[in-house]
Amino acid sequence: MAAVKDPLRLLVELLQKVPGMGEKSATRMAYHFMKAPAQEVLGLAEALRRLKAEMRECEECCDVSFRSPCETCANPKRDPAVICVVADSSHIKPLERSGAYAGVYHVLHGTLSPMENVGPEQLRIAPLLRRIEGRPVCEVILAINPTMEGETTMLYLMDLLKDRGLRVTKLPVGLALGSDIEYTDHETLGKALRDRVQVSSRAT
Ligand SMILES: [Zn+2]
């Protein structure tokens, strides 16, 4: 029979799986929970349980959401003919904060990376193509971090999206090479969205 682990040690081990969480912070956090009121800690456990049970991918944009279609896709004020493609759900918030965008999003859930065996079939590229084929889309904005994987992904998408009668644009290189959308301030992102550059035309 496997030995039962001390729950404090187990929690420290599990917390260390959180990106950026070292042993010291994990231990401090575990002690905090041990001293915190039971209601607060059980509330957190319940929130984590619900996170796994109730969050799903939006059938339209593939963002993780409590509802499908998500709030953005279901919002009649958003323009469904303009799709901003992002690598990760966490990139939507900074772009929204810029206030410069009124279209919808599409989340790829990663970037192409042959080194890590991430090919097109691991990303939500097929659902993006289905969206484009299913309704009139006039523009796809590629808002992907300009890392090597990001650039490879954008080139792959540009090739897939050409000759489909839509405009393909990307954020200008003003977002310095290698810069991260998640940590770019809203003014810079707003300017980047307004100054987006066309990379392929509407020609069919
Ligand atoms: Zn959605």
Side-chain angles (χ1 to χ4, degrees), residues 58-63 65 67 69-74 105 131:
C58 167
E59 68 211 46
E60 288 280 321
C61 70
C62 301
D63 187 16
S65 171
R67 295 190 180 85
C70 70
E71 239 172 86
T72 311
C73 290
Y105 292 93
R131 275 178 97 179

